[in-house]
Every structure is written in structure tokens, then in C-alpha cells.
């Protein structure tokens, strides 16, 4: 049993690394993404900066927009480079090969997420750095370790959510893809990508906290703009909430993946292309 | 357990849309009973839509059966799929798997990691297998630049990388040239013979491939197994007789002796043709009721002083078996009907 | 039949079939009710982001003035995203997932017409979205659009040239897709984001830095949105554009739209030639 568990862990780690390798190497084989995924998104985020400036908003809102723009990169990574990847793998004839291998589905998804993080982090990082320089944003970070902790917890919970979504793609094809497409703007709205989420009203914001980005961004903003007071909940409460969300979402993802896989095999949809 | 694969009354239905959006059941597999022994190459022959790929998908845990049971390597595919996956692999003909932006070697390394194979071992296997199928010079080529045949070679290698106990090959030589197909068939045979617990379940449309490779075959049609036996036994079902085409040289005066061949045991008919009186070469067409009659025929010819200059035996082919079985409706103890092909 | 008229017939047939295919791809993934929900929720959420941002800063988000200008610009900008995404995604999807691109390529007289046809469905969906958003704004946010004061000629002309310019840019971007890997699929969103900044979709271009202002004035989308605002609301948003009379605005828009079509087509042709010479038409780059 002990050898089995050791083997199980080893093969899943290897699978995750291999899948991450595909993404990292693939990204670096062709550099068009540097322009399309790094420089241009800065312009899109800048538009929201100018919206606030046109409204004569306080300058700290520029900082909110920059952080929101950076997190957009991770949300897009979760949605398109992880959650919907089973859809793309199925179209690319690879899904079957992953599913007949003795590996956890979450290992593959984790590999995709880790591999995609390379491009995503460059996008987010360049947005923050260049945006701060361009728009003279200054940060008053109260605790760097707490910012890092919050960020990591947010990502773990976010990727758990992404894995949960990915289970839909085992069963459904384009319906799930369009659902992912549908989720982009409502998530930007409900999680307060470009404004403090408290502006939505306390109860709506609390309900939106099921999406890890809501608590994550609010906490990071509070830590990074510590001289301002706009938070939904105290930072330590939000960090605890992220921890709970992370565990809960990862567990839910595991259950959902197993159930959806079983349902898809029963219906004969697991390997059904172009549905 | 001496059986690598067992299926018991395996059934698989699909719900398909009909006109007016009603969904009707389409039966892809209809009570399939199968036993594949360890160490054998077992073939599935059947027309398109017979249920071969559905069966492979169930056995490889990609699909659950509607009813019935399937056991692979001693593990139930429904209740213990993880254990099944540890000992199997699969190659489908015509698949486009892999990542186009990665090289052949990288793709194969990726798939080796899904089975936990140590890097050094994986790379050694990859290099050896690429050598065997003739893909070494394309190791560093991006997959999207490969031809169809080269891509299929890569897929083929992928199936063997994990050194599975049971390998499912779904038309593995599709798209490959004659020479490569020959190399691959040879490799499959050597691979199975290399270890007693290795088993291959193969589907193919190439009769010659099935005849050459398979220890046993099942003929599948409309989700049912119509016959299951060795290739020779299946061919004998269709017709016992073989025709021997023998070229001999003999002196003109000995022709009568040759015609006495028809009285030999096992010989049903003899036809002798020559180029005219006094001809030195003759062509005999001898219909025998089994291989057992051949030594007697040759002995007789030798006693007559005839020198055999050419010998060819023709017998029913798998194609004859296939058409014979698939072209008829079945009646047997199970209550279905038989009608002979007109 | 003369060669020219036969080609015209083939191009029209390609366009028509591509439009039908595009509509099938967009609409047949869900039942009508779900599709309606999707068509409403997505654009309304997009607009609500702006509404909340305005609310947070100004305390109220409704009525005339800057809010109305922003809202209308934001609504019509949906066309840009849809058309750019639609045209670029066709290449990625057909090439990488359905692997039909090479068959489409060899069967059509000109890929250009196939792409135009496929973009038609996106335009139709964008039109529905824009109408929904404007209706939402009128019903709940007191958007000052009144049938009696709408300058229909201005709106129609602006839309005509605006769509032409969007399609021109989209075709150019689609050409770029022919020679880059699948991860370039985000290109349309990125370019749309850049246009969102520079076209004055949601703020007056006057507040942009000088160099950006010059860029903004060179884009057809800036004039298109200005024209639509003038037609629907009676006035534009930017001082920089106020110098143009309605007639001058339309002339500049027409010229820039034509230029974007020419540049887009040239880009497409160049990229197509490159793709053919490097064997990239049916490349597969999913990772």
C-alpha cells in the first residue's frame, strides 16, 4: 500500500511537470504572445484608468484598476488555459490518451495551470510595473509576506474553481465553452476588478465572495493601499476565507471531476468531438 | 489468471437523435462474450460500425457498458478502472494526437511521463523505438510538420513506451507504407513473444495482416461476435478443400501414371494440362480435402519420376470467411436465423 | 458565363454559405431560451461594470451628460470585440480544432469572402447585444435617446463605415493569425483593448497624452463612435472631435474606413503568402 501511494504520488507529479513543460515550451517556441498578451493588455487596462480620470476619480482608483488588470490575467488563465482545456484537448485528440493513463485528472489540470502561469505572471507583472510607472501609482504595502500569502491562497482557490469548471467540459462541449465565455464579464463585475467590491453592497459582495477573486483582490488592495479604507471585511477574515475556499473548491473539484467523468462515460460523451 | 481480457454479455447502447428529435437506442454491442488469453495477439475483424472501437473504448475505460461485465488484466473496467489503466495502452490508426508545436521526442517523452517512467528509461525506449520504425531522423521535428505516416509511426511508438501488459491496437498500420507496415507487424510479434504476459487486441481491415499476425480472431458484425477461432480454423469452416497447382516435368510416356493420382487418399480431383503430345512440362491442378493429403501427392509424383518444378497451394482466405459470415443472418442455438448467401 | 461574373457568383456563394455556417456555429449549441439568457447577460454585465464605476465615483449613474456618452460608446464598442474576435477565432478554430481550414482554403475562390461571411454572424449577434444594452439603459438608467431626436442618417452612415472599418481591421488580424501559434488567439481581445483606449469609447480622447491623441485621431473607430453619439444623443464627447462638422466627420470616417480595408487586406494577403510558403496553413499548435 505504501509503495502504491508513493508510486501514485510520483506518477502524478511527473504528469503535472510534463504537462506544464508542454505549455511553457509551446509558449516559448513562438513569441507573438509577448506583444498580444503583455503590451496590448496594458492599453486595455489603461482605458479604465482614463475612465476614472475622465470622472475625476481619486487617484487611488488608478491603483485599483492596475491590480484588477493584473488579476484579469490570472482569471483568463483559469478560464481559458485550464477550465476549458479538456475541451481543446478533446478536439486535439489528446483527451483519450490522458484518460487511459493511470493519473489524476487534477494532475493534468495542475500542470496546465502551472505552465500557463509563466505567461500569465509576465503579463500581470509587466502590467503592474509599467502601469505604475506610466500612471505614477505608489503603493504603501503594510506587509509583503501577507501580500504573498494572500496572492498564493487566491491562486490556489482560483485554480480549484477552474478545476471545478473543467469538469463541465468532460460532459459538455460548446455549451460549457460558451458558459466560460459568459462568465468573463459578470466575474469582472461581481468581483470588483475595477472598483472596490464594497460598492456593490455588502450582501452582494459577500455572495460574490464564493469567487476567490473577490476576497483575494479586496485583501491584496487593503494590504497594498494600507492608507485607504475601502475593504469589505478585515484582511485576516478574508485570508481565512480564502483558505476555506481553497480547500473547499479543490475538494469539490475532485468530486465533480470524478462524477462528471463517470457521467460522460455513461453517456458516451467523454471522447465525443465537436459536440 | 490465464485470460488477459474477459467480457461477459457486454452490451452498449447509445441514444441517438432521430427525425423529430426523438432519441432512439442504437445498440453498438449486443451481448459480447469474449476471452483473450495472455500472450496472444487477438484480432477483431468486422465492417465499419460493427462495434470494434466501442469494444476497445470499454476495455480501455473510456466508456462504460450499459450492461454486462468486462475484466482486463483481472480488474473490472467499471469498478476498478485505475488498476486497468496501469497495465494498458492504446494506439488508434488515423489519430491526430500530440502537440504540433513540440518535437516528436518531446511528445513521446510527455506521454511516457503519464506512466511514471523514469526519464533515462523513457528516452532510451523512445530512441530504440524510433530506430525500429525509422523515425530517428525526425526526432527533433515539430509534429505539425510530419506526414500522416510519420505521425502514425509516432503514435505507434507512444503505445509501446509504457511497456503495457495489454495493448489495444485499433488499425495501427493505417496510413503506413508497405515496408513500414511489415516492420511494425514484425515488431508486434516479437514484442508479444518477448514476455509471456504481453497481450495485444488488434483491430484491422487488412485481412493479410490479421492472417499473418493474429493467433486468434473474432469476426464482429452489428455488435455481435459471429465467429471466434484461429485464422486457419475459420478458413476451414468456409471450405476444407485446398487446390494445389503443381508444375512438373515428365516424359511423355509417363502421363498415365500421373493421372493415377486421383485415386490417392485425400485427392478429390486431378486436372492435368500440357502443351501437347510429347510435352515435357505439365500443369496439375489437384483438389485435396486437407493438408494431410499433400505428402501423399508429392510421394506419388516422385514415384512416377516427375520432377516438381513449381508448387502453389490456394485455400479459402479470411476475406472469404468475412464475406461468408457477415453476408448472412445468423441462426443457431441462440434462436437467430441463418440464410445462405445467394 | 464570363470569368468575372463566374467569380462573382462563386464569391457570393462562399459568402452566403460562410454566413450560414457562422450562424450555425454561434447559435446551435443551446436551446433558444439559454441562448437568449446568454445574449442578454453578457452585454448587460459588460455595461454594468461601467455603471458601477460611475456610481462609485459620482454617486449616481443615470441620465444625460458624460454618463450617457460613456454608456453609448461602451455599448457600440461591443461590435469591435465581436468582429475582431470572430474573424480571428475562425482561423484558430477551423485550423486547430475542427481541422477543416485547409479544406475550406482549397474549396473557396478566396478565403477573404469566407472570413467575411463568418464575421456576418458575429455582427448579427453584436447588433442584438447592442440593442439589448441600449434598451436596458433607456429603461433603467434614463438614457436620453428619443425617437424624435435621433438622427437616423447619421447613425446609419456611421454604422456602415464603422462596420467596414472593423471588418477591415479584423481581416488584417485574421491574416496575422495564419502565421502565429494558437496562443495568439488572445490577440483580438488585446487589440480590442487597445482600441478601447484609443477610440474614446468610454472617455473623451482629450485627456489622452498628446502622442496618443494623434493616434486616436487616426483611427476610424474614433470617428465612428463620435458619429453614433451625435446621431443618438445629439452631441459627441470630445472637444478634439467637436471641430468636425457632421459632414466632415463622415468624410473622414469614410476615408479611414477605406484605408483600414486596404491595409487589412494587404496584411492578409502578405500573411497568407507567408503562411503558404512556410507550410503553416494547416499547422497545429495547441499546447
Amino acid at each position: 500500500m505504501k509503495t502504491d501511494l508513493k508510486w501514485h504520488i510520483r506518477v502524478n507529479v511527473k504528469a503535472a511537470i510534463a504537462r506544464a513543460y508542454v505549455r511553457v515550451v509551446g509558449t516559448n517556441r513562438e513569441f507573438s504572445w509577448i506583444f498580444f498578451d503583455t503590451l496590448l493588455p496594458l492599453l486595455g487596462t489603461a482605458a479604465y484608468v482614463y475612465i476614472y480620470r475622465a470622472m475625476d476619480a481619486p487617484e487611488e482608483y488608478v491603483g485599483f484598476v492596475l491590480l484588477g488588470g493584473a488579476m484579469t490575467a490570472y482569471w483568463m488563465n483559469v478560464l481559458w488555459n485550464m477550465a476549458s482545456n479538456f475541451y481543446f484537448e478533446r478536439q486535439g485528440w489528446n483527451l483519450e490518451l490522458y484518460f487511459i493513463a493511470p493519473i489524476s485528472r487534477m494532475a493534468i489540470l495542475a500542470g496546465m495551470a502551472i505552465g500557463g502561469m509563466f505567461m500569465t505572471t509576465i503579463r500581470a507583472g509587466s502590467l503592474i510595473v509599467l502601469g505604475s510607472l506610466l500612471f505614477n501609482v505608489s503603493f504603501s504595502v503594510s506587509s509583503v509576506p501577507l501580500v504573498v500569502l494572500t496572492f498564493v491562497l487566491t491562486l490556489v482557490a482560483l485554480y480549484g474553481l477552474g478545476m471545478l469548471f473543467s469538469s463541465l467540459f468532460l460532459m459538455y462541449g460548446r455549451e460549457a465553452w460558451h458558459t466560460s465565455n459568459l462568465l468573463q464579464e459578470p466575474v469582472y463585475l461581481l468581483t470588483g476588478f475595477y472598483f472596490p467590491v464594497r460598492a456593490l453592497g455588502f450582501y452582494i459582495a459577500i455572495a460574490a465572495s464564493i469567487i476567490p477573486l473577490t476576497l483575494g483582490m479586496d485583501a491584496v488592495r487593503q494590504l497594498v493601499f494600507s492608507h485607504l479604507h475601502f475593504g469589505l471585511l478585515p484582511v485576516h477574515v478574508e485570508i481565512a476565507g480564502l483558505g476555506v475556499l481553497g480547500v473547499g473548491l479543490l475538494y469539490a473539484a475532485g468530486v465533480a471531476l470524478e462524477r462528471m467523468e463517470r457521467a460522460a462515460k455513461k453517456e458516451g460523451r467523454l471522447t465525443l468531438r465537436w459536440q | 489468471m490465464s485470460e488477459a481480457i474477459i467480457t461477459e454479455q457486454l452490451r452498449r447502447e447509445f441514444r441517438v437523435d432521430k427525425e423529430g428529435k426523438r432519441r432512439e437506442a442504437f445498440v453498438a454491442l449486443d451481448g459480447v462474450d469474449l476471452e483473450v488469453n495472455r500472450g496472444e495477439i487477438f484480432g477483431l475483424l468486422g465492417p465499419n460500425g460493427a462495434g470494434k472501437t466501442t469494444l476497445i473504448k470499454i476495455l480501455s475505460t473510456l466508456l462504460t457498458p450499459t450492461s454486462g461485465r468486462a475484466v482486463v488484466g483481472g480488474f473490472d473496467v467499471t469498478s476498478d478502472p485505475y488498476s486497468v489503466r496501469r497495465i494498458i495502452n492504446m494506439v488508434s490508426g488515423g489519430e491526430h494526437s500530440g502537440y504540433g508545436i513540440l518535437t516528436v521526442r518531446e511528445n513521446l517523452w510527455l506521454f511516457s511521463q503519464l506512466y511514471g517512467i523514469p526519464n533515462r528509461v523513457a528516452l532510451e525506449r523512445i530512441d530504440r523505438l524510433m530506430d525500429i520504425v525509422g523515425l530517428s531522423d525526425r526526432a527533433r521535428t515539430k509534429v505539425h510538420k510530419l506526414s500522416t505516416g510519420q505521425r502514425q509511426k509516432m503514435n505507434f511508438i507512444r503505445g509501446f513506451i509504457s511497456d503495457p501488459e495489454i495493448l489495444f491496437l485499433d488499425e495501427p498500420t493505417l496510413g503506413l507504407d508497405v515496408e513500414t507496415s511489415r516492420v511494425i507487424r514484425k515488431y508486434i510479434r516479437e514484442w508479444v513473444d518477448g514476455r509471456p504476459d504481453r497481450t495485444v487486441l488488434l483491430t484491422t481491415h487488412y485481412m493479410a495482416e490479421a492472417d499473418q499476425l493474429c493467433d486468434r480472431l473474432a469476426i464482429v458484425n452489428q455488435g455481435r461476435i459471429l465467429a471466434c477461432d484461429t485464422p486457419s480454423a475459420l478458413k476451414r469452416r468456409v471450405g476444407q478443400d485446398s487446390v494445389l497447382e503443381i508444375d512438373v516435368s515428365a516424359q511423355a510416356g509417363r502421363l498415365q501414371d500421373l493421372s493415377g493420382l486421383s485415386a490417392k487418399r485425400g485427392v478429390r480431383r486431378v486436372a492435368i494440362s500440357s502443351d501437347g503430345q510429347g510435352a515435357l512440362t505439365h500443369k496439375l491442378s489437384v483438389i485435396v480435402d486437407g493438408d494431410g493429403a499433400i505428402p501423399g501427392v508429392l510421394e506419388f509424383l516422385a514415384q512416377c519420376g516427375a520432377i516438381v518444378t513449381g508448387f502453389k497451394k490456394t485455400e479459402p482466405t479470411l476475406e472469404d470467411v468475412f464475406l461468408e459470415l457477415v453476408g448472412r443472418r445468423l441462426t443457431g442455438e441462440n434462436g437467430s436465423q441463418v440464410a445462405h448467401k445467394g | 458565363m464570363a470569368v468575372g461574373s463566374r467569380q462573382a457568383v462563386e464569391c457570393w456563394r462562399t459568402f452566403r454559405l460562410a454566413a450560414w455556417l457562422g450562424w450555425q456555429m454561434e447559435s446551435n449549441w443551446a436551446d433558444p431560451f439559454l441562448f437568449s439568457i446568454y445574449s442578454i447577460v453578457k452585454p448587460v454585465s459588460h455595461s454594468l461594470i461601467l455603471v458601477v464605476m460611475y456610481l462609485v465615483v459620482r454617486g449616481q449613474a443615470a441620465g444625460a451628460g458624460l454618463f450617457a456618452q460613456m454608456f453609448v460608446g461602451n455599448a457600440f464598442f461591443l461590435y469591435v470585440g465581436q468582429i475582431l474576435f470572430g474573424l480571428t477565432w475562425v482561423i484558430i478554430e477551423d485550423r486547430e480544432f475542427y481541422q477543416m481550414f485547409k479544406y475550406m482554403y482549397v474549396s473557396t475562390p478566396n478565403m477573404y469572402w469566407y472570413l467575411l461571411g463568418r464575421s456576418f454572424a458575429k455582427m448579427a449577434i453584436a447588433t442584438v447585444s447592442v440593442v439589448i444594452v441600449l434598451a436596458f439603459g433607456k429603461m433603467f438608467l434614463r438614457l436620453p435617446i428619443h425617437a424624435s431626436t435621433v438622427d437616423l442618417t447619421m447613425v446609419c452612415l456611421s454604422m456602415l463605415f464603422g462596420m467596414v472599418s472593423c471588418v477591415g481591421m479584423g481581416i488584417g488580424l485574421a491574416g496575422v493569425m495564419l502565421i502565429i501559434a494558437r496562443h495568439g488567439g488572445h490577440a483580438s481581445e488585446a487589440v480590442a483593448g487597445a482600441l478601447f483606449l484609443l477610440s474614446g469609447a468610454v472617455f473623451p480622447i482629450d485627456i489622452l497624452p498628446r502622442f496618443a491623441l494623434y493616434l486616436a485621431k487616426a483611427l476610424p473607430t474614433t470617428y465612428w463612435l463620435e458619429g453614433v453619439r451625435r446621431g443618438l444623443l445629439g452631441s459627441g464627447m470630445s472637444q478634439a472631435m467637436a471641430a468636425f462638422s457632421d459632414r466632415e466627420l463622415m468624410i473622414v470616417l469614410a476615408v479611414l474606413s477605406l484605408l483600414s480595408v486596404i491595409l487589412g487586406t494587404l496584411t492578409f494577403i502578405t500573411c497568407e503568402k507567408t503562411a503558404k510558403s512556410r507550410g503553416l496553413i494547416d499547422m497545429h499548435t495547441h499546447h
Side-chain angles (χ1 to χ4, degrees):
Chain A
M1 181 78 90
K2 203 170 162 189
T3 320
D4 233 24
L5 180 64
K6 229 170 113 180
W7 187 87
H8 186 75
I9 292 169
R10 189 167 66 91
V11 78
N12 281 296
V13 167
K14 275 178 159 294
I17 290 170
R19 189 58 185 88
Y21 173 89
V22 173
R23 189 139 284 173
V24 172
V25 167
T27 303
N28 286 294
R29 285 265 154 93
E30 206 247 61
F31 291 104
S32 59
W33 61 273
I34 291 178
F35 180 69
F36 289 118
D37 267 278
T38 308
L39 295 173
L40 288 188
L42 176 64
L43 299 183
T45 304
Y48 286 92
V49 171
Y50 283 106
I51 292 174
Y52 277 131
R53 286 194 171 164
M55 290 193 266
D56 300 317
E59 271 304 296
E60 51 263 23
Y61 281 83
V62 175
F64 295 163
V65 165
L66 285 187
L67 279 175
M71 291 314 287
T72 305
Y74 289 100
W75 175 237
M76 301 277 276
N77 185 34
V78 164
L79 214 49
W80 298 116
N81 291 337
M82 194 170 77
S84 46
N85 231 265
F86 282 157
Y87 173 74
F88 298 133
E89 294 288 9
R90 179 163 45 204
Q91 309 288 54
W93 299 66
N94 292 316
L95 191 72
E96 299 175 4
L97 304 181
Y98 285 124
F99 274 66
I100 64 168
I103 52 173
S104 158
R105 302 355 175 172
M106 291 173 82
I108 293 298
L109 291 168
M112 287 175 186
I114 292 164
M117 229 186 282
F118 168 69
M119 191 162 78
T120 306
T121 304
I122 289 183
R123 174 174 166 160
S126 62
L127 205 129
I128 298 233
V129 169
L130 291 174
S132 307
L133 290 171
L134 275 171
F135 299 112
N136 289 321
V137 175
S138 56
F139 303 99
S140 56
V141 182
S142 61
S143 168
V144 171
L146 269 183
V147 170
V148 172
L149 174 67
T150 309
F151 180 70
V152 168
L153 286 176
T154 305
L155 284 194
V156 167
L158 194 60
Y159 286 132
L161 183 65
M163 289 184 187
L164 185 60
F165 282 153
S166 71
S167 65
L168 292 177
F169 285 91
L170 294 179
M171 183 70 172
Y172 304 105
R174 285 189 295 148
E175 297 102 321
W177 191 85
H178 281 284
T179 306
S180 284
N181 211 7
L182 177 63
L183 285 172
Q184 274 187 192
E185 278 86 0
V187 164
Y188 294 163
L189 173 68
L190 291 170
T191 57
F193 264 61
Y194 300 116
F195 48 81
V197 72
R198 203 170 62 180
L200 292 174
F202 181 79
Y203 292 106
I204 293 176
I206 290 292
S209 298
I210 191 79
I211 306 166
L213 282 169
T214 310
L215 293 179
M217 269 201 304
D218 200 66
V220 168
R221 278 179 184 147
Q222 288 188 69
L223 289 166
V224 161
F225 299 106
S226 56
H227 59 289
L228 301 170
H229 306 285
F230 54 82
L232 175 67
L233 296 167
V235 171
H236 65 274
V237 173
E238 289 182 340
I239 290 175
L242 284 169
V244 169
L245 272 176
V247 171
L249 286 169
L250 283 170
Y251 175 75
V255 170
L257 280 167
E258 201 206 309
R259 289 210 176 149
M260 285 305 223
E261 184 184 338
R262 218 178 315 134
K265 283 182 187 177
K266 203 171 155 198
E267 292 268 321
R269 296 174 77 121
L270 186 69
T271 54
L272 192 66
R273 268 172 223 99
W274 310 306
Q275 48 176 320
Chain B
M1 186 184 243
S2 62
E3 289 91 9
I5 300 169
I6 301 173
T7 70
E8 291 169 2
Q9 285 296 296
L10 203 63
R11 187 177 169 86
R12 175 68 218 194
E13 283 178 22
F14 291 97
R15 299 254 140 211
V16 293
D17 288 330
K18 289 287 180 192
E19 288 190 29
K21 300 283 186 192
R22 277 182 307 117
R23 285 167 76 76
E24 284 185 8
F26 164 71
V27 180
L29 289 177
D30 190 5
V32 168
D33 291 306
L34 197 65
E35 275 181 23
V36 178
N37 300 319
R38 283 190 188 276
E40 76 175 343
I41 299 177
F42 190 92
L44 285 177
L45 266 183
N48 294 327
K52 308 185 294 295
T53 300
T54 303
L55 178 59
I56 284 189
K57 280 190 174 172
I58 290 175
L59 296 175
S60 60
T61 75
L62 290 174
L63 196 59
T64 49
T66 307
S67 62
R69 196 168 159 255
V71 174
V72 174
F75 305 106
D76 190 297
V77 299
T78 310
S79 59
D80 194 4
Y82 178 76
S83 300
V84 171
R85 283 183 216 132
R86 286 185 72 164
I87 58 169
I88 64 165
N89 208 330
M90 184 174 80
V91 177
S92 298
E95 68 180 59
H96 299 278
S97 62
Y99 296 95
I101 205 167
L102 264 53
T103 64
V104 172
R105 212 157 184 259
E106 285 170 335
N107 270 282
L108 291 171
W109 171 81
L110 160 73
F111 288 111
S112 73
Q113 298 306 289
L114 304 185
Y115 294 86
I117 299 166
N119 278 335
R120 194 178 46 81
V121 173
L123 293 172
E124 269 169 21
R125 274 187 204 167
I126 289 167
D127 289 338
R128 184 171 45 85
L129 286 164
M130 282 201 287
D131 234 350
I132 290 168
V133 301
L135 204 58
S136 298
D137 57 340
R138 305 298 254 165
R140 295 189 198 286
T141 305
K142 286 192 194 126
V143 166
H144 74 82
K145 291 187 176 165
L146 297 181
S147 68
T148 308
Q150 288 167 340
R151 198 151 190 169
Q152 185 55 14
K153 285 183 191 179
M154 184 189 80
N155 292 333
F156 181 78
I157 293 171
R158 185 191 43 68
F160 288 87
I161 273 176
S162 62
D163 197 20
E165 278 179 39
I166 297 163
L167 183 58
F168 300 109
L169 298 176
D170 195 356
E171 304 202 41
T173 55
L174 195 68
L176 296 178
D177 59 55
V178 168
E179 178 59 26
T180 309
S181 299
R182 199 182 59 79
V183 165
I184 277 176
R185 282 183 215 125
K186 184 163 170 276
Y187 182 74
I188 294 172
R189 185 78 258 172
E190 283 170 4
W191 183 80
V192 168
D193 292 341
R195 235 170 59 194
D197 61 344
R198 285 175 178 161
T199 309
V200 168
L201 180 66
L202 167 82
T203 73
T204 181
H205 281 129
Y206 301 133
M207 305 293 174
E209 182 170 273
D211 206 349
Q212 181 194 342
L213 261 186
C214 298
D215 299 312
R216 283 196 305 144
L217 277 177
I219 309 281
V220 186
N221 188 39
Q222 294 185 346
R224 291 182 189 172
I225 292 188
L226 304 180
C228 180
D229 213 326
T230 63
S232 315
L234 285 172
K235 283 181 275 186
R236 275 199 296 276
R237 282 168 65 137
V238 173
Q240 299 267 0
D241 298 347
S242 301
V243 178
L244 308 177
E245 303 284 344
I246 308 173
D247 298 322
V248 300
S249 59
Q251 291 175 4
R254 312 279 312 242
L255 256 180
Q256 265 174 298
D257 297 331
L258 287 178
S259 60
L261 183 56
S262 55
K264 290 298 287 184
R265 197 165 139 262
V267 175
R268 289 189 193 259
R269 213 170 57 186
V270 178
I272 304 170
S273 63
S274 55
D275 290 335
Q277 265 195 334
L280 295 177
T281 59
H282 310 276
K283 198 173 195 64
L284 277 68
S285 293
V286 183
I287 299 175
V288 295
D289 62 9
D291 291 352
I294 295 174
V297 167
L298 294 174
E299 196 187 323
F300 177 86
L301 290 173
Q303 282 168 358
C304 290
I307 299 164
V308 174
T309 56
F311 184 94
K312 187 170 124 186
K313 180 183 150 199
T314 59
E315 57 185 5
T317 62
L318 276 180
E319 188 152 354
D320 297 328
V321 176
F322 183 87
L323 289 171
E324 181 73 16
L325 288 173
V326 172
R328 47 197 260 191
R329 288 171 290 124
L330 191 64
T331 295
E333 290 154 14
N334 61 4
S336 45
Q337 271 205 320
V338 166
H340 286 275
K341 195 165 56 144
Chain C
M1 189 188 277
V3 171
S5 57
R6 189 177 73 218
Q7 273 188 338
V9 165
E10 284 172 355
C11 289
W12 166 242
R13 185 180 63 217
T14 302
F15 176 85
R16 202 167 38 87
L17 286 170
W20 169 84
L21 177 63
W23 179 250
Q24 288 296 318
M25 302 283 280
E26 291 302 322
S27 65
N28 75 354
W29 55 272
D31 61 39
F33 177 69
L34 197 61
F35 185 63
S36 311
I37 300 283
Y38 174 88
S39 301
I40 291 169
V41 169
K42 201 164 160 61
V44 168
S45 311
H46 177 74
S47 298
L48 281 175
I49 294 171
L50 192 69
V51 169
V52 174
M53 285 172 74
Y54 203 90
L55 196 67
V56 161
V57 176
R58 293 282 181 96
Q60 59 104 20
L66 183 64
F67 174 76
Q69 301 280 0
M70 281 180 163
F71 193 89
V72 166
N74 194 43
F76 277 87
F77 199 80
L78 287 168
Y79 277 111
V80 176
Q82 284 281 352
I83 292 170
L84 289 184
F85 177 74
L87 283 167
T88 53
W89 192 245
V90 165
I91 306 285
I92 302 289
E93 201 175 42
D94 278 7
R95 187 182 72 198
E96 306 272 348
F97 307 128
Y98 299 117
Q99 294 179 16
M100 286 294 294
F101 187 71
K102 59 184 175 195
Y103 303 113
M104 293 298 187
Y105 192 81
V106 304
S107 67
T108 62
N110 192 320
M111 205 60 208
Y112 197 86
W113 292 99
Y114 175 72
L115 291 173
L116 284 180
R118 288 292 295 267
S119 71
F120 201 69
K122 286 288 186 189
M123 258 191 263
I125 287 172
T127 303
V128 171
S129 299
V130 170
V131 168
I132 287 171
V133 168
L134 291 177
F136 175 81
K138 177 92 177 131
M139 285 195 303
F140 299 105
L141 302 171
R142 301 197 313 268
L143 209 60
I145 298 177
H146 309 291
S148 55
T149 54
V150 165
D151 184 346
L152 209 52
T153 309
M154 189 73 173
V155 172
C156 291
L157 275 177
S158 302
M159 283 304 299
L160 173 66
F161 293 126
M163 291 302 96
V164 166
S165 67
C166 287
V167 169
M169 286 188 276
I171 293 280
L173 206 52
V176 173
M177 290 300 113
L178 290 175
I179 58 174
I180 65 175
R182 187 195 157 250
H183 52 233
H186 299 305
S188 61
E189 290 187 47
V191 170
L195 290 172
F196 194 60
L197 170 72
L198 295 171
S199 305
V202 285
F203 56 83
I205 58 172
D206 312 299
I207 64 173
L208 286 172
R210 189 174 288 272
F211 74 93
L213 182 61
Y214 291 140
L215 273 173
K217 283 176 146 182
L219 291 172
T221 41
T222 309
Y223 298 85
W224 162 51
L225 292 171
E226 177 72 8
V228 162
R229 284 192 185 105
R230 288 187 191 185
L232 287 177
L233 300 172
S235 65
M237 193 160 68
S238 310
Q239 285 299 312
M241 304 302 287
F244 292 95
S245 67
D246 289 356
R247 188 183 156 84
E248 285 164 351
L249 192 77
M250 286 300 105
I251 290 170
V252 172
L253 175 56
V255 168
L256 288 176
S257 301
L258 182 63
L259 269 174
S260 75
V261 168
I262 292 169
L263 279 171
T265 305
L266 284 174
T267 307
F268 184 83
I269 290 170
T270 308
C271 292
E272 191 191 350
K273 274 197 184 126
T274 308
K276 268 163 62 168
S277 71
R278 285 163 59 184
L280 304 178
I281 293 285
D282 60 345
M283 73 169 165
H284 194 246
T285 60
H286 170 58
H287 58 279

